[in-house]
Amino acid sequence: IRGSAAQLAWSPDGRQLAFVSMRGTHSFVGTFDINSRELRYFGASLESDQLPAWSPNSRYLAFVRVPEEAQSYRFTPRMESIPWSIQLADLRTGDVRTLWTADAGPGSTGGKPIAFAASENAVRAPLVWTHDEHVVFTWEKTGWTQLYRVGLDGRAPQQLTRSQGEVWSPSVSADGRSLYYMVNAREPERFELFRIPAEGGTPKLLSGGYGTSYVQPALPLRDGRVAFLGFNARTPSQVLVSDAGDKLKPLVSDVIPREFPTDQLVPPSVVDLQAEDGLKFRALLFKPTGLKAAQKRPAIVYVHGGSRSIATEEPNLAWGLVQALVMRGYVVLVPNFRSGIGYGLQFREAPAYGGSGGSDTLDAIASGRYLARLPEVDAKRIGIFGISYGGYLTTAALARAPDVWAAGASLVGVADWQMELELDKGGARLPFRLSERMKYEDLAHESSANAHLKGWRAPLLFISGDDDRDGWLVQAIQLGQSLRRKGIEVEAMVEPGGAHSPATHRQLRSRASRLFDFFDRRLQQ
């Protein structure tokens, strides 16, 4: 078949395989019959059809239909669009009908602008079927992602969850009578596992003290238990399984190596910050153990990638870098800046973020100024670093607030939104009409560090791969040469053949060692 096949889903009777045929500008949902080898497509049209889900009796196939719209560049705010819908295909007749369509306004985008990395699984979670032939889905009608269900009669959907948090990754029990989902309602930076009856009712917390990994749904087992990935600030992700009392315990008791430095790891505290334009956001603050106010330690702001992500206490790659810096004596602040996920539609689609104005740079700058006010921090020794999208915010913050920073490092980062508009494979290309194209390019340039180099002071480290298709090396080259012409110290570590993410443990260690060495030389002296 043409295009590429993705999102495979076996029918419950094992006879057919549903898939999505990705065609670039659009996509189709199809099935392949294992016995007859028949290939069928359902309702192929102008939209992007995706996320097929089988009914328990293998007769129906529900899937999401998202209308494609011109110029839906993914790093610009998009509050609404042509409404998305749920389509229903009858495998016996081949007929396809619209089961439900989102209302115009908030929640109408169907997740298209947030189909990126973890958030594609989390916010646009697969549809699930219950025992009574209802389809359960997530919708942002209220400004928060919540669970809804709709029957085959297509009547108005029933809202199952009501919380000031993001409900993600629904899954259904083997008997179809219970739903599991993750939500950060109690603490925005902690996602917990809940169970609710398929018909609605009172949710029950299952996490038992562990946070949950928001990139993976829970896995209900046939015996009524449930398994999922859980962690806390001192323990990496591991498989947890519920017992008869709904308490969660590790599947394997000794999966964490004994030499893992559990006792040396520092749980963060959550602080509330405000940018200069008045927007409020939250950040995770890590302080070295035994820190005293008179010591005046150096400090670092770490800006996460994405931007469709959220910093939690989950032990991952970035978490490892942060903990290592804390062990080296740094105070580290990790902001959850606007355009990130987990704080609702308005926060995620903040005006003028990214390539449409760079408003999220204000949050990175506010984080540096917050550190400068802490009694334990030396205000003259504050650095900043970020990975990927965080690399963009790093360079933009260094350019726009040169008085705050003593050093900065961009790891596989975006440096020039104008160039990113041309190269980004995840969004629309620039318009063909010259006048409209120039408007986009001018705004993208103004959103980038390149437009604000006049006052730049801090030395900068680039860590990049020359085969990175997400943070193109040419952007680092151009920004680096511009800074060198101004007399700014620029260091670079370029990996021949290196990609966006480290491919080996050796490569990871190499990147981390160069980062630590740079900050130690620039901030510890």
Side-chain angles (χ1 to χ4, degrees):
I1 63 174
R2 294 179 180 275
S4 59
Q7 301 178 17
L8 308 182
W10 283 107
S11 61
D13 62 14
R15 296 178 180 180
Q16 299 192 72
L17 184 64
F19 65 95
V20 175
S21 179
M22 311 297 292
R23 304 295 181 100
T25 59
H26 57 285
S27 59
F28 304 139
V29 165
T31 58
F32 180 72
D33 190 292
I34 300 303
N35 296 321
S36 68
R37 306 190 68 79
E38 179 186 10
L39 183 68
R40 305 168 70 187
Y41 292 104
F42 296 93
S45 186
L46 304 177
E47 295 83 10
S48 286
D49 294 341
Q50 52 200 282
L51 301 171
W54 291 95
S55 64
N57 60 9
S58 300
R59 176 177 175 177
Y60 297 105
L61 191 65
F63 58 90
V64 168
R65 171 163 289 176
V66 180
E68 289 289 345
E69 291 189 274
Q71 307 310 325
S72 56
Y73 185 59
R74 66 182 168 108
F75 290 117
T76 55
R78 191 175 178 210
M79 291 293 296
E80 57 184 79
S81 68
I82 300 174
W84 66 287
S85 63
I86 297 175
Q87 301 294 308
L88 186 70
D90 188 327
L91 273 292
R92 294 182 184 176
T93 64
D95 294 336
V96 179
R97 63 183 174 92
T98 300
L99 182 63
W100 171 84
T101 301
D103 297 338
S108 60
T109 60
K112 177 60 180 176
I114 48 176
F116 182 70
S119 58
E120 180 169 5
N121 291 327
V123 180
R124 294 199 307 126
L127 309 174
V128 296
W129 288 77
T130 60
H131 69 289
D132 54 354
E133 291 194 322
H134 279 69
V135 177
V136 175
F137 59 97
T138 55
W139 186 22
E140 282 188 305
K141 172 66 175 177
T142 65
W144 297 91
T145 306
Q146 301 294 321
L147 284 186
Y148 296 80
R149 76 176 203 147
V150 62
L152 297 187
D153 55 13
R155 294 180 180 177
Q158 173 190 357
Q159 184 174 349
L160 297 177
T161 58
R162 301 176 185 274
S163 65
Q164 289 292 105
E166 302 283 13
V167 175
W168 288 345
S169 303
S171 56
V172 64
S173 61
D175 61 8
R177 297 180 179 277
S178 297
L179 297 167
Y180 298 90
Y181 62 90
M182 299 172 186
V183 64
N184 62 340
R186 300 202 307 170
E187 296 179 52
E189 297 74 31
R190 179 188 294 273
F191 290 83
E192 298 175 302
L193 180 65
F194 283 81
R195 184 180 63 213
I196 190 173
E199 299 85 0
T202 303
K204 182 177 182 180
L205 175 67
L206 274 73
S207 297
Y210 285 89
T212 61
S213 174
Y214 65 88
V215 298
Q216 296 289 343
L219 178 64
L221 307 180
R222 294 193 178 189
D223 61 5
R225 298 182 299 162
V226 62
F228 76 112
L229 295 178
F231 60 87
N232 55 42
R234 288 193 167 99
T235 305
S237 295
Q238 58 182 311
V239 178
L240 303 175
V241 180
S242 63
D243 59 18
D246 285 335
K247 297 295 184 181
L248 295 170
K249 298 180 179 179
L251 177 66
V252 181
S253 59
D254 58 351
V255 68
I256 307 299
R258 293 182 179 179
E259 61 271 24
F260 189 79
T262 301
D263 295 337
Q264 301 177 46
L265 303 183
V266 178
S269 58
V270 179
V271 295
D272 294 305
L273 304 181
Q274 182 171 320
E276 65 180 39
D277 65 351
L279 184 132
K280 296 180 180 180
F281 63 101
R282 292 160 65 94
L284 304 181
L285 179 63
F286 297 80
K287 293 183 179 181
T289 55
L291 181 63
K292 297 180 181 179
Q295 291 180 303
K296 294 293 183 180
R297 299 287 184 90
I300 292 175
V301 172
Y302 163 65
V303 195
H304 69 69
S307 66
R308 304 315 204 196
S309 186
I310 179 173
T312 67
E313 59 184 24
E314 177 186 8
N316 52 25
L317 167 60
W319 173 91
L321 294 176
V322 167
Q323 289 285 354
L325 287 167
V326 175
M327 292 179 186
R328 299 173 83 89
Y330 295 94
V331 176
V332 181
L333 185 70
V334 184
N336 277 316
F337 52 89
R338 74 189 81 180
S339 80
I341 57 178
Y343 298 91
L345 175 64
Q346 296 286 341
F347 189 86
R348 190 188 70 241
E349 303 299 331
Y353 86 87
S356 65
S359 63
D360 36 4
T361 304
L362 299 177
D363 304 340
I365 295 171
S367 299
R369 297 195 189 283
Y370 169 83
L371 285 175
R373 295 192 298 269
L374 292 180
E376 309 93 336
V377 170
D378 184 346
K380 296 181 179 180
R381 293 188 292 161
I382 298 176
I384 182 173
F385 83 99
I387 301 174
S388 190
Y389 190 98
Y392 152 65
L393 289 180
T394 293
T395 56
L398 289 166
R400 294 190 183 191
D403 60 303
V404 176
W405 316 105
S410 173
L411 281 65
V412 298
V414 173
D416 186 343
W417 280 125
Q418 187 175 356
M419 190 177 300
E420 191 69 13
L421 280 167
E422 296 281 6
L423 300 175
D424 178 32
K425 64 179 183 294
R429 300 303 182 195
L430 283 168
F432 287 113
R433 294 182 66 248
L434 184 59
S435 60
E436 190 176 357
R437 182 185 185 93
M438 291 177 66
K439 180 184 68 174
Y440 273 86
E441 289 193 340
D442 287 345
L443 182 57
H445 176 69
E446 184 63 26
S447 305
S448 306
N450 291 340
H452 307 275
L453 299 184
K454 184 176 181 180
W456 190 305
R457 305 175 191 172
L460 177 65
L461 168 67
F462 284 112
I463 296 179
S464 301
D466 80 331
D467 193 29
D468 187 343
R469 313 295 176 86
D470 294 293
W472 295 83
L473 180 62
V474 64
Q475 298 185 38
I477 292 173
Q478 291 196 359
L479 178 58
Q481 304 298 29
S482 296
L483 291 173
R484 283 170 172 161
R485 282 194 293 269
K486 292 175 58 62
I488 303 298
E489 295 181 71
V490 176
E491 300 183 24
M493 172 185 166
V494 178
E495 301 163 339
H500 199 58
S501 299
T504 65
H505 184 252
R506 177 178 296 179
Q507 196 175 64
L508 170 59
R509 287 179 61 89
S510 178
R511 294 185 184 188
S513 296
R514 185 61 183 271
L515 178 71
F516 300 154
D517 172 72
F518 173 78
F519 279 130
D520 286 349
R521 286 186 286 108
R522 301 293 183 175
L523 301 180
Q524 292 281 20
Q525 303 302 323

